[in-house]
Amino acid sequence: MSGDTKKQQKVYTAREVATLLAIQNTTVRKYSQLLEKAGYHIHKNELVIEVSLIRM
């Protein structure tokens, strides 16, 4: 390896995030829309977020 570090990302569905955070699926979708408007890249059929963002 030439010193390359790769960031690992976990792909969560809106339902999985809702379950992890104990919130409604629609709430996750609303927040993902707000994040997208703020410049975050959101996949339409999947939600890609860093695991560090889902800490309880």
Side-chain angles (χ1 to χ4, degrees):
M1 297 176 80
S2 60
D4 291 336
T5 57
K6 291 186 179 184
K7 236 184 195 182
Q8 288 188 338
Q9 292 183 335
K10 170 80 171 128
V11 177
Y12 292 94
T13 64
R15 179 178 290 150
E16 290 172 322
V17 173
T19 300
L20 284 170
L21 300 177
I23 60 176
Q24 294 295 316
N25 195 19
T26 54
T27 303
V28 174
R29 288 196 303 267
K30 287 177 187 178
Y31 276 106
S32 69
Q33 290 171 349
L34 290 172
L35 287 169
E36 189 173 31
K37 286 180 183 177
Y40 288 86
H41 179 73
I42 304 293
H43 295 270
K44 293 300 177 186
N45 291 325
E46 58 193 29
L47 180 61
V48 178
I49 57 176
E50 291 184 39
V51 175
S52 62
L53 294 178
I54 304 182
R55 290 199 178 159
M56 293 190 241

mmCIF file of all heavy atoms in Angstrom, residues 20-56:
data_model
loop_
_atom_site.group_PDB
_atom_site.id
_atom_site.type_symbol
_atom_site.label_atom_id
_atom_site.label_comp_id
_atom_site.label_asym_id
_atom_site.label_seq_id
_atom_site.Cartn_x
_atom_site.Cartn_y
_atom_site.Cartn_z
ATOM 1 N N LEU A 20 -32.593 2.416 13.935
ATOM 2 C CA LEU A 20 -31.441 2.723 14.785
ATOM 3 C C LEU A 20 -31.694 3.918 15.688
ATOM 4 O O LEU A 20 -31.256 3.945 16.840
ATOM 5 C CB LEU A 20 -30.206 3.007 13.927
ATOM 6 C CG LEU A 20 -29.511 1.811 13.298
ATOM 7 C CD1 LEU A 20 -28.474 2.278 12.290
ATOM 8 C CD2 LEU A 20 -28.838 0.982 14.386
ATOM 9 N N LEU A 21 -32.396 4.917 15.171
ATOM 10 C CA LEU A 21 -32.621 6.144 15.925
ATOM 11 C C LEU A 21 -33.973 6.193 16.631
ATOM 12 O O LEU A 21 -34.280 7.163 17.312
ATOM 13 C CB LEU A 21 -32.491 7.356 14.997
ATOM 14 C CG LEU A 21 -31.131 7.521 14.322
ATOM 15 C CD1 LEU A 21 -31.157 8.703 13.367
ATOM 16 C CD2 LEU A 21 -30.038 7.686 15.369
ATOM 17 N N ALA A 22 -34.769 5.157 16.445
ATOM 18 C CA ALA A 22 -36.106 5.065 17.050
ATOM 19 C C ALA A 22 -36.975 6.262 16.647
ATOM 20 O O ALA A 22 -37.593 6.912 17.488
ATOM 21 C CB ALA A 22 -36.016 4.922 18.565
ATOM 22 N N ILE A 23 -36.975 6.549 15.336
ATOM 23 C CA ILE A 23 -37.812 7.607 14.784
ATOM 24 C C ILE A 23 -38.568 7.049 13.586
ATOM 25 O O ILE A 23 -38.299 5.940 13.136
ATOM 26 C CB ILE A 23 -36.983 8.846 14.374
ATOM 27 C CG1 ILE A 23 -35.936 8.473 13.308
ATOM 28 C CG2 ILE A 23 -36.327 9.496 15.585
ATOM 29 C CD1 ILE A 23 -35.150 9.661 12.774
ATOM 30 N N GLN A 24 -39.496 7.832 13.083
ATOM 31 C CA GLN A 24 -40.301 7.395 11.948
ATOM 32 C C GLN A 24 -39.502 7.444 10.651
ATOM 33 O O GLN A 24 -38.626 8.300 10.472
ATOM 34 C CB GLN A 24 -41.542 8.278 11.809
ATOM 35 C CG GLN A 24 -42.508 8.156 12.959
ATOM 36 C CD GLN A 24 -43.123 6.773 13.036
ATOM 37 O OE1 GLN A 24 -43.526 6.196 12.030
ATOM 38 N NE2 GLN A 24 -43.188 6.241 14.241
ATOM 39 N N ASN A 25 -39.830 6.556 9.741
ATOM 40 C CA ASN A 25 -39.199 6.496 8.425
ATOM 41 C C ASN A 25 -39.366 7.821 7.678
ATOM 42 O O ASN A 25 -38.449 8.297 7.013
ATOM 43 C CB ASN A 25 -39.818 5.332 7.650
ATOM 44 C CG ASN A 25 -39.019 4.940 6.436
ATOM 45 O OD1 ASN A 25 -37.855 5.267 6.323
ATOM 46 N ND2 ASN A 25 -39.656 4.228 5.533
ATOM 47 N N THR A 26 -40.540 8.427 7.796
ATOM 48 C CA THR A 26 -40.784 9.696 7.104
ATOM 49 C C THR A 26 -39.880 10.806 7.640
ATOM 50 O O THR A 26 -39.473 11.694 6.883
ATOM 51 C CB THR A 26 -42.258 10.126 7.228
ATOM 52 O OG1 THR A 26 -42.615 10.160 8.615
ATOM 53 C CG2 THR A 26 -43.169 9.177 6.490
ATOM 54 N N THR A 27 -39.552 10.758 8.916
ATOM 55 C CA THR A 27 -38.653 11.751 9.511
ATOM 56 C C THR A 27 -37.270 11.636 8.896
ATOM 57 O O THR A 27 -36.629 12.652 8.573
ATOM 58 C CB THR A 27 -38.577 11.571 11.036
ATOM 59 O OG1 THR A 27 -39.899 11.656 11.576
ATOM 60 C CG2 THR A 27 -37.691 12.616 11.677
ATOM 61 N N VAL A 28 -36.808 10.416 8.686
ATOM 62 C CA VAL A 28 -35.503 10.192 8.058
ATOM 63 C C VAL A 28 -35.509 10.769 6.648
ATOM 64 O O VAL A 28 -34.565 11.449 6.235
ATOM 65 C CB VAL A 28 -35.139 8.693 8.026
ATOM 66 C CG1 VAL A 28 -33.853 8.456 7.245
ATOM 67 C CG2 VAL A 28 -35.030 8.145 9.434
ATOM 68 N N ARG A 29 -36.563 10.529 5.908
ATOM 69 C CA ARG A 29 -36.648 11.046 4.546
ATOM 70 C C ARG A 29 -36.668 12.569 4.523
ATOM 71 O O ARG A 29 -36.016 13.200 3.685
ATOM 72 C CB ARG A 29 -37.864 10.467 3.833
ATOM 73 C CG ARG A 29 -37.686 8.995 3.487
ATOM 74 C CD ARG A 29 -38.699 8.527 2.453
ATOM 75 N NE ARG A 29 -40.076 8.741 2.865
ATOM 76 C CZ ARG A 29 -40.824 7.845 3.493
ATOM 77 N NH1 ARG A 29 -40.322 6.664 3.789
ATOM 78 N NH2 ARG A 29 -42.075 8.113 3.820
ATOM 79 N N LYS A 30 -37.377 13.176 5.465
ATOM 80 C CA LYS A 30 -37.420 14.641 5.531
ATOM 81 C C LYS A 30 -36.034 15.206 5.817
ATOM 82 O O LYS A 30 -35.605 16.179 5.192
ATOM 83 C CB LYS A 30 -38.407 15.105 6.601
ATOM 84 C CG LYS A 30 -39.855 14.902 6.204
ATOM 85 C CD LYS A 30 -40.778 15.317 7.319
ATOM 86 C CE LYS A 30 -42.214 14.962 6.992
ATOM 87 N NZ LYS A 30 -43.132 15.317 8.086
ATOM 88 N N TYR A 31 -35.319 14.595 6.775
ATOM 89 C CA TYR A 31 -33.971 15.063 7.092
ATOM 90 C C TYR A 31 -33.016 14.835 5.923
ATOM 91 O O TYR A 31 -32.148 15.660 5.666
ATOM 92 C CB TYR A 31 -33.431 14.400 8.354
ATOM 93 C CG TYR A 31 -33.880 15.102 9.608
ATOM 94 C CD1 TYR A 31 -34.846 14.542 10.431
ATOM 95 C CD2 TYR A 31 -33.342 16.332 9.966
ATOM 96 C CE1 TYR A 31 -35.263 15.190 11.578
ATOM 97 C CE2 TYR A 31 -33.754 16.985 11.111
ATOM 98 C CZ TYR A 31 -34.718 16.410 11.918
ATOM 99 O OH TYR A 31 -35.127 17.058 13.050
ATOM 100 N N SER A 32 -33.179 13.731 5.202
ATOM 101 C CA SER A 32 -32.295 13.491 4.058
ATOM 102 C C SER A 32 -32.525 14.536 2.973
ATOM 103 O O SER A 32 -31.591 14.954 2.302
ATOM 104 C CB SER A 32 -32.461 12.069 3.518
ATOM 105 O OG SER A 32 -33.724 11.897 2.907
ATOM 106 N N GLN A 33 -33.766 15.000 2.817
ATOM 107 C CA GLN A 33 -34.055 16.065 1.858
ATOM 108 C C GLN A 33 -33.381 17.369 2.289
ATOM 109 O O GLN A 33 -32.824 18.090 1.461
ATOM 110 C CB GLN A 33 -35.564 16.271 1.721
ATOM 111 C CG GLN A 33 -36.259 15.132 1.017
ATOM 112 C CD GLN A 33 -37.774 15.231 1.080
ATOM 113 O OE1 GLN A 33 -38.328 16.042 1.824
ATOM 114 N NE2 GLN A 33 -38.449 14.392 0.307
ATOM 115 N N LEU A 34 -33.425 17.670 3.582
ATOM 116 C CA LEU A 34 -32.764 18.876 4.092
ATOM 117 C C LEU A 34 -31.249 18.791 3.911
ATOM 118 O O LEU A 34 -30.602 19.782 3.544
ATOM 119 C CB LEU A 34 -33.101 19.079 5.568
ATOM 120 C CG LEU A 34 -34.548 19.476 5.879
ATOM 121 C CD1 LEU A 34 -34.788 19.461 7.394
ATOM 122 C CD2 LEU A 34 -34.856 20.841 5.304
ATOM 123 N N LEU A 35 -30.686 17.611 4.172
ATOM 124 C CA LEU A 35 -29.243 17.434 3.997
ATOM 125 C C LEU A 35 -28.854 17.609 2.529
ATOM 126 O O LEU A 35 -27.825 18.209 2.216
ATOM 127 C CB LEU A 35 -28.810 16.061 4.506
ATOM 128 C CG LEU A 35 -28.806 15.892 6.020
ATOM 129 C CD1 LEU A 35 -28.634 14.418 6.387
ATOM 130 C CD2 LEU A 35 -27.710 16.728 6.645
ATOM 131 N N GLU A 36 -29.684 17.082 1.640
ATOM 132 C CA GLU A 36 -29.407 17.215 0.207
ATOM 133 C C GLU A 36 -29.417 18.690 -0.207
ATOM 134 O O GLU A 36 -28.553 19.141 -0.956
ATOM 135 C CB GLU A 36 -30.430 16.416 -0.595
ATOM 136 C CG GLU A 36 -30.101 16.312 -2.055
ATOM 137 C CD GLU A 36 -31.034 15.368 -2.784
ATOM 138 O OE1 GLU A 36 -32.207 15.246 -2.391
ATOM 139 O OE2 GLU A 36 -30.580 14.765 -3.765
ATOM 140 N N LYS A 37 -30.377 19.446 0.297
ATOM 141 C CA LYS A 37 -30.446 20.876 -0.003
ATOM 142 C C LYS A 37 -29.231 21.622 0.541
ATOM 143 O O LYS A 37 -28.828 22.648 -0.006
ATOM 144 C CB LYS A 37 -31.722 21.482 0.573
ATOM 145 C CG LYS A 37 -32.960 21.111 -0.204
ATOM 146 C CD LYS A 37 -34.191 21.739 0.396
ATOM 147 C CE LYS A 37 -35.438 21.287 -0.355
ATOM 148 N NZ LYS A 37 -36.668 21.820 0.250
ATOM 149 N N ALA A 38 -28.647 21.097 1.624
ATOM 150 C CA ALA A 38 -27.468 21.713 2.239
ATOM 151 C C ALA A 38 -26.178 21.295 1.541
ATOM 152 O O ALA A 38 -25.098 21.689 1.963
ATOM 153 C CB ALA A 38 -27.410 21.360 3.719
ATOM 154 N N GLY A 39 -26.280 20.457 0.502
ATOM 155 C CA GLY A 39 -25.105 20.098 -0.274
ATOM 156 C C GLY A 39 -24.576 18.688 -0.074
ATOM 157 O O GLY A 39 -23.609 18.300 -0.700
ATOM 158 N N TYR A 40 -25.203 17.918 0.802
ATOM 159 C CA TYR A 40 -24.780 16.532 0.991
ATOM 160 C C TYR A 40 -25.275 15.687 -0.168
ATOM 161 O O TYR A 40 -26.341 15.943 -0.725
ATOM 162 C CB TYR A 40 -25.334 15.959 2.303
ATOM 163 C CG TYR A 40 -24.670 16.531 3.518
ATOM 164 C CD1 TYR A 40 -25.119 17.722 4.083
ATOM 165 C CD2 TYR A 40 -23.598 15.883 4.115
ATOM 166 C CE1 TYR A 40 -24.514 18.266 5.202
ATOM 167 C CE2 TYR A 40 -22.990 16.406 5.240
ATOM 168 C CZ TYR A 40 -23.450 17.603 5.771
ATOM 169 O OH TYR A 40 -22.847 18.124 6.869
ATOM 170 N N HIS A 41 -24.498 14.680 -0.523
ATOM 171 C CA HIS A 41 -24.901 13.770 -1.598
ATOM 172 C C HIS A 41 -25.731 12.639 -1.003
ATOM 173 O O HIS A 41 -25.251 11.904 -0.150
ATOM 174 C CB HIS A 41 -23.670 13.202 -2.311
ATOM 175 C CG HIS A 41 -24.028 12.250 -3.395
ATOM 176 N ND1 HIS A 41 -24.564 12.673 -4.591
ATOM 177 C CD2 HIS A 41 -23.952 10.913 -3.461
ATOM 178 C CE1 HIS A 41 -24.798 11.609 -5.342
ATOM 179 N NE2 HIS A 41 -24.436 10.542 -4.684
ATOM 180 N N ILE A 42 -26.965 12.543 -1.441
ATOM 181 C CA ILE A 42 -27.878 11.496 -0.969
ATOM 182 C C ILE A 42 -28.270 10.642 -2.163
ATOM 183 O O ILE A 42 -28.769 11.156 -3.163
ATOM 184 C CB ILE A 42 -29.146 12.103 -0.326
ATOM 185 C CG1 ILE A 42 -28.811 13.055 0.815
ATOM 186 C CG2 ILE A 42 -30.094 10.994 0.143
ATOM 187 C CD1 ILE A 42 -28.190 12.418 2.022
ATOM 188 N N HIS A 43 -28.037 9.348 -2.058
ATOM 189 C CA HIS A 43 -28.490 8.432 -3.110
ATOM 190 C C HIS A 43 -30.002 8.300 -2.994
ATOM 191 O O HIS A 43 -30.539 8.203 -1.901
ATOM 192 C CB HIS A 43 -27.828 7.062 -2.955
ATOM 193 C CG HIS A 43 -26.349 7.101 -3.154
ATOM 194 N ND1 HIS A 43 -25.765 6.922 -4.382
ATOM 195 C CD2 HIS A 43 -25.339 7.328 -2.287
ATOM 196 C CE1 HIS A 43 -24.467 7.023 -4.265
ATOM 197 N NE2 HIS A 43 -24.178 7.272 -2.996
ATOM 198 N N LYS A 44 -30.662 8.276 -4.102
ATOM 199 C CA LYS A 44 -32.130 8.267 -4.074
ATOM 200 C C LYS A 44 -32.727 6.971 -3.529
ATOM 201 O O LYS A 44 -33.748 6.997 -2.893
ATOM 202 C CB LYS A 44 -32.690 8.549 -5.470
ATOM 203 C CG LYS A 44 -32.410 9.945 -5.936
ATOM 204 C CD LYS A 44 -33.025 10.954 -4.998
ATOM 205 C CE LYS A 44 -32.694 12.357 -5.429
ATOM 206 N NZ LYS A 44 -33.142 13.369 -4.510
ATOM 207 N N ASN A 45 -32.102 5.852 -3.774
ATOM 208 C CA ASN A 45 -32.666 4.587 -3.306
ATOM 209 C C ASN A 45 -31.942 4.035 -2.094
ATOM 210 O O ASN A 45 -32.214 2.941 -1.640
ATOM 211 C CB ASN A 45 -32.665 3.543 -4.425
ATOM 212 C CG ASN A 45 -33.647 3.908 -5.499
ATOM 213 O OD1 ASN A 45 -34.697 4.460 -5.226
ATOM 214 N ND2 ASN A 45 -33.286 3.643 -6.739
ATOM 215 N N GLU A 46 -30.987 4.804 -1.595
ATOM 216 C CA GLU A 46 -30.262 4.383 -0.410
ATOM 217 C C GLU A 46 -29.698 5.621 0.261
ATOM 218 O O GLU A 46 -29.495 6.645 -0.358
ATOM 219 C CB GLU A 46 -29.145 3.405 -0.761
ATOM 220 C CG GLU A 46 -28.159 3.973 -1.743
ATOM 221 C CD GLU A 46 -27.251 2.918 -2.335
ATOM 222 O OE1 GLU A 46 -27.661 1.754 -2.437
ATOM 223 O OE2 GLU A 46 -26.134 3.272 -2.682
ATOM 224 N N LEU A 47 -29.480 5.540 1.514
ATOM 225 C CA LEU A 47 -28.935 6.648 2.273
ATOM 226 C C LEU A 47 -27.528 6.264 2.685
ATOM 227 O O LEU A 47 -27.317 5.268 3.358
ATOM 228 C CB LEU A 47 -29.815 6.894 3.498
ATOM 229 C CG LEU A 47 -29.422 8.023 4.425
ATOM 230 C CD1 LEU A 47 -29.443 9.351 3.684
ATOM 231 C CD2 LEU A 47 -30.371 8.080 5.598
ATOM 232 N N VAL A 48 -26.553 7.031 2.239
ATOM 233 C CA VAL A 48 -25.159 6.749 2.555
ATOM 234 C C VAL A 48 -24.702 7.769 3.583
ATOM 235 O O VAL A 48 -24.695 8.961 3.326
ATOM 236 C CB VAL A 48 -24.264 6.843 1.308
ATOM 237 C CG1 VAL A 48 -22.815 6.584 1.671
ATOM 238 C CG2 VAL A 48 -24.732 5.860 0.247
ATOM 239 N N ILE A 49 -24.372 7.279 4.751
ATOM 240 C CA ILE A 49 -23.913 8.171 5.793
ATOM 241 C C ILE A 49 -22.743 7.521 6.505
ATOM 242 O O ILE A 49 -22.578 6.318 6.491
ATOM 243 C CB ILE A 49 -25.024 8.499 6.812
ATOM 244 C CG1 ILE A 49 -25.587 7.238 7.427
ATOM 245 C CG2 ILE A 49 -26.108 9.312 6.180
ATOM 246 C CD1 ILE A 49 -26.601 7.482 8.483
ATOM 247 N N GLU A 50 -21.920 8.347 7.104
ATOM 248 C CA GLU A 50 -20.807 7.805 7.859
ATOM 249 C C GLU A 50 -21.335 7.249 9.180
ATOM 250 O O GLU A 50 -22.207 7.836 9.801
ATOM 251 C CB GLU A 50 -19.779 8.896 8.131
ATOM 252 C CG GLU A 50 -19.060 9.341 6.885
ATOM 253 C CD GLU A 50 -17.985 10.353 7.189
ATOM 254 O OE1 GLU A 50 -17.309 10.192 8.225
ATOM 255 O OE2 GLU A 50 -17.852 11.290 6.401
ATOM 256 N N VAL A 51 -20.784 6.153 9.570
ATOM 257 C CA VAL A 51 -21.222 5.506 10.802
ATOM 258 C C VAL A 51 -21.088 6.451 11.983
ATOM 259 O O VAL A 51 -21.904 6.448 12.878
ATOM 260 C CB VAL A 51 -20.409 4.203 11.040
ATOM 261 C CG1 VAL A 51 -20.768 3.569 12.374
ATOM 262 C CG2 VAL A 51 -20.661 3.214 9.908
ATOM 263 N N SER A 52 -20.093 7.331 11.982
ATOM 264 C CA SER A 52 -19.886 8.243 13.102
ATOM 265 C C SER A 52 -21.042 9.228 13.260
ATOM 266 O O SER A 52 -21.207 9.805 14.322
ATOM 267 C CB SER A 52 -18.583 9.013 12.916
ATOM 268 O OG SER A 52 -18.644 9.801 11.743
ATOM 269 N N LEU A 53 -21.853 9.432 12.234
ATOM 270 C CA LEU A 53 -22.985 10.334 12.337
ATOM 271 C C LEU A 53 -24.156 9.720 13.088
ATOM 272 O O LEU A 53 -25.050 10.426 13.531
ATOM 273 C CB LEU A 53 -23.456 10.770 10.941
ATOM 274 C CG LEU A 53 -22.468 11.629 10.150
ATOM 275 C CD1 LEU A 53 -23.048 11.935 8.773
ATOM 276 C CD2 LEU A 53 -22.136 12.902 10.886
ATOM 277 N N ILE A 54 -24.153 8.411 13.245
ATOM 278 C CA ILE A 54 -25.255 7.730 13.949
ATOM 279 C C ILE A 54 -24.737 7.241 15.284
ATOM 280 O O ILE A 54 -24.489 6.073 15.475
ATOM 281 C CB ILE A 54 -25.817 6.552 13.142
ATOM 282 C CG1 ILE A 54 -26.271 6.997 11.778
ATOM 283 C CG2 ILE A 54 -26.977 5.911 13.875
ATOM 284 C CD1 ILE A 54 -26.882 5.905 10.961
ATOM 285 N N ARG A 55 -24.545 8.144 16.165
ATOM 286 C CA ARG A 55 -24.134 7.774 17.531
ATOM 287 C C ARG A 55 -25.240 8.164 18.471
ATOM 288 O O ARG A 55 -25.793 9.227 18.378
ATOM 289 C CB ARG A 55 -22.843 8.496 17.909
ATOM 290 C CG ARG A 55 -21.671 7.966 17.136
ATOM 291 C CD ARG A 55 -20.405 8.313 17.801
ATOM 292 N NE ARG A 55 -19.318 7.722 17.020
ATOM 293 C CZ ARG A 55 -18.084 8.129 17.077
ATOM 294 N NH1 ARG A 55 -17.755 9.124 17.874
ATOM 295 N NH2 ARG A 55 -17.165 7.554 16.352
ATOM 296 N N MET A 56 -25.553 7.268 19.373
ATOM 297 C CA MET A 56 -26.634 7.541 20.312
ATOM 298 C C MET A 56 -26.073 7.908 21.654
ATOM 299 O O MET A 56 -25.024 7.698 22.033
ATOM 300 C CB MET A 56 -27.522 6.326 20.429
ATOM 301 C CG MET A 56 -28.242 6.065 19.138
ATOM 302 S SD MET A 56 -29.475 4.825 19.359
ATOM 303 C CE MET A 56 -28.907 3.589 18.247
#
